[in-house]
Amino acid sequence: MIASIYARKSTDQALADEQKSVARQIAHGREYAERRGWIVRDDLVFVDDGISGAEFANRPGFLRLMNALKPKPLFQVLIMSEESRLGREAIETAYALKQLVQAGVRVFFYLEDRERRLDSPTDKIMLSLTTFADELERTRASQRSTDKAISQARAGHVTGGRVFGYDNVEIRGAGGERSHVERRINETEAAVVRRIFEMSATGNGYTRIAKTLNDERAPCPRPQLGRPAGWAPITIKEILDRPIYRGEIVWNRTRKRDRWGQHRQAPRPTADWMRREAPELRIVSEALWQATHQRLRGIRATLKKATRSKQGARARDVESQYLLAGFARCGTCGGALGVVSRRRTGTTRTYHYGCLVYNKRGANVCGNRLVLPIDRTDTAVLATLANDVLRPAIIDAVIAGVLEALQPEAQTRAAKDYVDELKRTETELARLTEAIATTGPIASLLSGIQARQARRDELIAAIAATKYTVNHKDVERHVRARLADWRRLLTENVQDGRELLRQVLAGPFRFTPDNGRYRFEGEAAIGRLLNGVAGVSTYVASPPGFEPGFQP
């Protein structure tokens, strides 16, 4: 049999060493499979390293594992160290196990040499108890981590990552063991922080400060993975709003996880904040801090007043009015491609798509200064999706995928259960008949035969009801009608078009300047539009200029 392995390590430091190493989990899983004569393919080893068991939507290895079940499982056995590796949230973990078992996959835990079955109510209640215990342990571990962080914060120790302007210094005890981490001022970075406050206090905006620092190649915070290095307006704002630079530590301002344990950062009430004076960490004088924030408060008050008086003012959390906002990236630096304005004559401004990194950070971070007319760019993208991605050949491929995905469901799990019960019922009928032949027509035996005969008739009818054939013409008519509707949505309304892009794109469009034009490419997973009916079909675009064509 073909076996797969799933290994996960969370960020919980209270876990046993056996559970914390995904490499060890994989090695032990392979040994377990070898003892039983199973084959583990390298492409069927799924790993999530450093991800909480409460996360399910943002766990790449887990998602790959579940996708490998459709349309037919690529493996017959799944091996894990224990149940908590699959998840530490009771409802989601139980549902994931149900999907695995319903797909015909047997699940084994090598630490207990045990198979997880869901064949009876007893199996299901045992699963509920196990997942409850796993979730309870996760909650307790989170409480222990929080208690430890509170005591560290009250003592002025570091509870998070590095902050620009400071170095994290490990403090060790008499025996050489690590005691805690403290912040110390980094004078080189501190000089940049003071300059930011000084420039803001004298009238410079976030964008101008960012571009000036990038032109000077000033030290900057370490960028997030995949983001270009350099100062950005939002980074300048975060520097100016951070109270630690005035010698005040504020802790517990945000909550990293929701009540389900999933990573979803949200602000906490002000009453929950912990404040501590730390004059040894002051970088900016109180006079400079107050001058800067007095100016910022004035600007915000003016903008708020202007926004209230402006007809049709848009809030930042409202859906964008531009089709490609949030769906396009610069092919030069990887930054977002968004809407930028240009002054034509007097107060008249025109709007275009352009690289926000170039426009917000300057040419030293990204040299892509090319801009595109919004209407022309939208037309090119929509024509690509409507005429090429949804062209007849691909529609036919989608329909074929739908039919292939539906066909294995013709013999459902329910039918198999009915057949098994029918066999047991017929065996019982045979035994009762034999008992009557031996002892005579006792009333209880006759009653038992009548009840089982009635149940046998019910089971035969139920089995017949579960056997059906897929109506190919109805499915094809349904899919073609939906695809025609998507073509209409692409062109009639921007908001409908943006919703369709969310469903059809497997990743953002990448726009790269090429001799004064933009060449764009992207991936479309149109199987998503069928809400799980068909598998994902991906098509890649790599067109020249604005004459694109998606190629299967």
Side-chain angles (χ1 to χ4, degrees), residues 259-547:
R259 62 194 178 114
W260 298 95
Q262 296 181 350
H263 192 278
R264 188 173 288 111
Q265 194 158 357
R268 292 182 183 271
T270 308
D272 293 344
W273 295 6
M274 291 179 56
R275 298 179 182 271
R276 180 183 182 276
E277 296 297 324
E280 71 280 3
L281 298 180
R282 178 185 285 275
I283 290 178
V284 176
S285 68
E286 188 63 22
L288 180 55
W289 174 277
Q290 292 297 341
T292 301
H293 281 266
Q294 183 177 355
R295 175 182 170 273
L296 292 176
R297 284 192 295 270
I299 293 174
R300 288 165 185 163
T302 301
L303 289 176
K304 186 175 182 179
K305 182 178 179 180
T307 301
R308 284 178 176 175
S309 63
K310 185 178 179 180
Q311 294 293 329
R314 295 176 61 85
R316 289 187 178 273
D317 59 350
V318 175
E319 180 69 67
S320 175
Q321 61 182 320
Y322 301 103
L323 179 72
L324 296 182
F327 297 109
R329 291 200 170 276
C330 171
T332 301
C333 68
L337 202 76
V339 177
V340 297
S341 65
R342 293 287 184 270
R343 180 173 295 176
R344 181 177 291 174
T345 56
T347 59
T348 302
R349 304 192 73 86
T350 58
Y351 295 88
H352 312 263
Y353 289 123
C355 176
L356 296 183
V357 172
Y358 169 79
N359 284 275
K360 297 293 185 181
R361 305 192 190 189
N364 281 327
V365 180
C366 179
N368 179 14
R369 64 181 66 197
L370 188 63
V371 295
L372 295 129
I374 290 176
D375 292 344
R376 189 172 154 213
T377 307
D378 289 350
T379 299
V381 170
L382 293 177
T384 300
L385 291 173
N387 299 329
D388 293 328
V389 175
L390 302 181
R391 70 177 185 265
I394 294 181
I395 293 175
D396 292 340
V398 172
I399 293 173
V402 173
L403 296 175
E404 182 181 356
L406 288 175
Q407 194 61 40
E409 299 298 326
Q411 296 296 333
T412 64
R413 177 122 185 143
K416 181 179 181 301
D417 293 340
Y418 290 146
V419 170
D420 292 341
E421 186 179 352
L422 180 61
K423 290 179 181 178
R424 292 194 299 270
T425 302
E426 289 177 340
T427 299
E428 292 171 358
L429 274 171
R431 290 174 180 171
L432 289 170
T433 303
E434 183 179 352
I436 289 176
T438 303
T439 63
I442 300 175
S444 61
L445 294 178
L446 291 173
S447 176
I449 287 179
Q450 291 173 351
R452 283 161 180 77
Q453 284 177 334
R455 180 55 181 163
R456 181 182 63 179
D457 293 340
E458 293 175 357
L459 291 169
I460 291 173
I463 292 171
T466 59
K467 293 182 177 179
Y468 67 92
T469 56
V470 178
N471 190 321
H472 289 214
K473 290 185 178 179
D474 286 348
V475 172
E476 181 175 352
R477 190 182 306 112
H478 173 70
V479 172
R480 291 189 185 279
R482 293 190 66 180
L483 291 171
D485 190 49
W486 296 328
R487 276 204 185 94
R488 178 184 58 78
L489 292 178
L490 278 170
T491 55
E492 286 188 0
N493 184 279
V494 170
Q495 304 310 324
D496 290 337
R498 286 178 59 81
E499 182 58 34
L500 181 57
L501 289 181
R502 286 190 183 91
Q503 299 182 56
V504 77
L505 291 181
F509 285 112
R510 295 175 296 279
F511 285 76
T512 305
D514 184 10
N515 295 324
R517 307 171 73 191
Y518 261 115
R519 175 178 173 274
F520 71 93
E521 57 185 358
E523 294 182 357
I526 59 179
R528 292 178 179 174
L529 296 173
L530 300 175
N531 296 325
V533 175
V536 174
S537 301
T538 301
Y539 303 90
V540 180
S542 183
F546 285 127
E547 300 172 353

Side-chain angles (χ1 to χ4, degrees), residues 223-266:
Q224 295 181 1
L225 184 64
R227 299 292 182 89
W231 288 96
I234 186 62
T235 314
I236 300 298
K237 180 183 183 303
E238 290 174 354
I239 292 287
L240 294 172
D241 289 341
R242 192 165 284 162
I244 191 173
Y245 296 126
R246 69 186 298 196
E248 180 185 25
I249 297 175
V250 181
W251 185 79
N252 207 37
R253 297 174 66 175
T254 61
R255 178 185 292 106
K256 292 184 178 180
R257 297 186 180 275
D258 60 16
R259 62 194 178 114
W260 298 95
Q262 296 181 350
H263 192 278
R264 188 173 288 111
Q265 194 158 357

